[in-house]
Amino acid sequence: MNLKIAVIAGDGIGPEISKVGVEVTRAVARRFNHEISFKEALAGAAAIDAVGDPFPESTYQICCESDAVLFSAVGDPRYDNNPEAKVRPEQGLLAMRRKLGLFANVRPIETFECLLDMSPLRRDIVNGVDFVCIRELTGGMYFGPKKEGDDEAYDTNLYTRKEVERILKTAFEHAQRRRKHLTVVDKANVLASSRLWRKIAREMESQYPDVTTDYMFVDNAAMKMIMEPRFFDVIVTENTFGDILTDEASVLSGSMGLLASSSIGEKTPVFEPIHGSWPQAAGKDIANPLAQILSVAMMFEYFGLTAEASAVRKAVTASLDNNVRTPDLQLPGQPEYGTQAVGKWIADYIEKN
């Protein structure tokens, strides 16, 4: 297969983990005889510094001309600590989602046997956790009408029927491919927007008779995710709830550095780790690249290349089992590997196994 990949490294640790993601992708291409080309583009603070725009038109065009985007992270403390800043790195991420029509964020949550004791929860609670969060990505408070003033501010949690139907369709179809259990998470006892979600979900249930559908308020879902995470198979929810719940779910595995995601919709899909830019670690070669690498696996799965995706996942598991780990995951007394060393080990494993 011939693939064109746009590479957006972004800020902080982004360039370091991006390099690893590209290296692993090249290793897969060599093993399975694919032709994959890469084109770099700017976003976030790096783009603001270069051209004054966190998602410049040139980056958008590169994304549109590509089959997929391998994205890393945006964010810079120069902007986090300046409430008066009119342009922020995160605006680039939102612009990318909006302009590419990336309405569905898919975040698999799973645990690794050798890391169960690193989870803040008991081994018996997290062992066997395997569910997917489907987060609506281009609606709700992040994109609705806003006002920001000295004495009054608001963000509008606006959703339309079309937006809700398409994300629910994505979630139902994911459930059909998995264990056929969908949980719709909302706050329908308080929010009008949530009642619209629940109304539409109930209307659509009959189209998917093989899927068991249940409904849960977001506060209950947050508790259930900690007390009984194996209950879930596929979760679908709106943008803000999804942002919070998926970050909560990320700690089940023991590190945010383990979880990948895909953002899909109308145009080019984007594959990225769920963590941020961790600027304090930039340039230190200590960032965990596994989420970026697992994003590569999701990219291959998107194109139906299941053997390639499996090879990546197998290599990641082997690296953990062999204690080839960055400091955030390493056991006491074991050698610590840097970002690039972990990436090279995994790339070599893919080509040799």
Side-chain angles (χ1 to χ4, degrees), residues 208-247:
Y208 305 91
D210 55 331
V211 175
T212 299
T213 307
D214 51 40
Y215 299 83
M216 196 174 293
F217 295 147
V218 63
D219 40 1
N220 187 22
M223 291 186 287
K224 191 82 166 178
M225 197 173 287
I226 297 302
M227 297 175 65
E228 193 183 350
R230 287 195 299 272
F231 169 84
F232 297 108
D233 177 24
V234 177
I235 295 171
V236 63
T237 191
E238 57 98 70
N239 205 342
T240 304
F241 295 160
D243 191 4
I244 297 167
L245 286 177
T246 52
D247 281 355

Side-chain angles (χ1 to χ4, degrees), residues 1-308:
M1 179 177 283
N2 295 329
L3 293 174
K4 296 179 180 179
I5 308 299
V7 178
I8 303 178
D11 310 320
I13 62 172
E16 298 167 69
I17 62 171
S18 178
K19 182 179 178 181
V20 170
V22 170
E23 181 180 8
V24 168
T25 305
R26 290 190 193 278
V28 173
R30 287 191 293 268
R31 176 178 168 186
F32 291 91
N33 298 313
H34 297 302
E35 292 291 332
I36 301 181
S37 61
F38 303 89
K39 193 163 187 178
E40 296 182 355
L42 293 172
I48 296 173
D49 292 343
V51 298
D53 185 341
F55 189 67
E57 181 65 21
S58 59
T59 296
Y60 173 61
Q61 290 302 322
I62 290 172
C63 291
C64 289
E65 294 164 1
S66 302
D67 297 303
V69 178
L70 188 60
F71 176 76
S72 297
V74 295
D76 191 295
R78 290 178 295 162
Y79 301 91
D80 298 340
N81 299 327
N82 180 11
E84 304 300 322
K86 301 301 181 184
V87 181
R88 297 178 180 277
E90 291 77 13
Q91 291 172 345
L93 184 59
L94 296 180
M96 178 170 67
R97 292 170 179 170
R98 183 182 67 253
K99 296 181 76 171
L100 293 178
L102 304 173
F103 62 83
N105 182 241
V106 181
R107 296 189 176 187
I109 309 296
E110 58 185 338
T111 55
F112 296 85
E113 173 65 29
C114 66
L115 298 179
L116 290 178
D117 292 327
M118 290 191 174
S119 174
L121 300 183
R122 295 196 318 264
R123 168 181 281 264
D124 61 295
I125 293 176
V126 296
N127 189 22
V129 165
D130 176 16
F131 63 91
V132 174
C133 292
I134 310 289
R135 168 191 170 192
E136 200 290 322
L137 205 57
T138 57
M141 286 194 289
Y142 291 4
F143 290 90
K146 301 176 183 296
K147 176 182 177 181
E148 184 172 353
D150 292 335
D151 301 308
E152 182 183 53
Y154 60 75
D155 301 277
T156 307
N157 200 45
L158 176 64
Y159 273 105
T160 65
R161 171 173 284 271
K162 178 184 175 181
E163 289 173 322
V164 177
E165 285 179 341
R166 67 185 183 183
I167 191 67
L168 286 172
K169 180 177 184 292
T170 300
F172 274 114
E173 290 174 352
H174 267 77
Q176 285 182 315
R177 295 193 295 269
R178 289 176 51 87
R179 300 191 300 275
K180 297 179 171 49
H181 175 204
L182 176 65
T183 303
V184 181
V185 173
D186 59 31
K187 192 64 176 171
N189 58 335
V190 176
L191 300 177
S193 57
S194 283
R195 287 191 286 276
L196 176 65
W197 272 72
R198 187 167 291 209
K199 170 182 170 63
I200 295 172
R202 289 197 178 280
E203 292 173 359
M204 293 178 66
E205 277 187 49
S206 61
Q207 300 173 34
Y208 305 91
D210 55 331
V211 175
T212 299
T213 307
D214 51 40
Y215 299 83
M216 196 174 293
F217 295 147
V218 63
D219 40 1
N220 187 22
M223 291 186 287
K224 191 82 166 178
M225 197 173 287
I226 297 302
M227 297 175 65
E228 193 183 350
R230 287 195 299 272
F231 169 84
F232 297 108
D233 177 24
V234 177
I235 295 171
V236 63
T237 191
E238 57 98 70
N239 205 342
T240 304
F241 295 160
D243 191 4
I244 297 167
L245 286 177
T246 52
D247 281 355
E248 177 188 8
S250 72
V251 304
L252 297 174
S253 65
S255 172
M256 286 187 70
L258 292 169
L259 299 183
S261 76
S262 63
S263 297
I264 57 178
E266 299 168 1
K267 297 181 182 178
T268 312
V270 175
F271 302 89
E272 60 181 296
I274 74 161
H275 57 68
S277 61
W278 195 16
Q280 298 85 355
K284 296 181 180 179
D285 194 42
I286 61 173
N288 185 347
L290 296 187
Q292 182 81 85
I293 294 170
L294 290 169
S295 298
V296 171
M298 293 189 73
M299 180 179 71
F300 284 119
E301 284 173 338
Y302 177 86
F303 292 111
L305 302 173
T306 55
E308 289 83 342

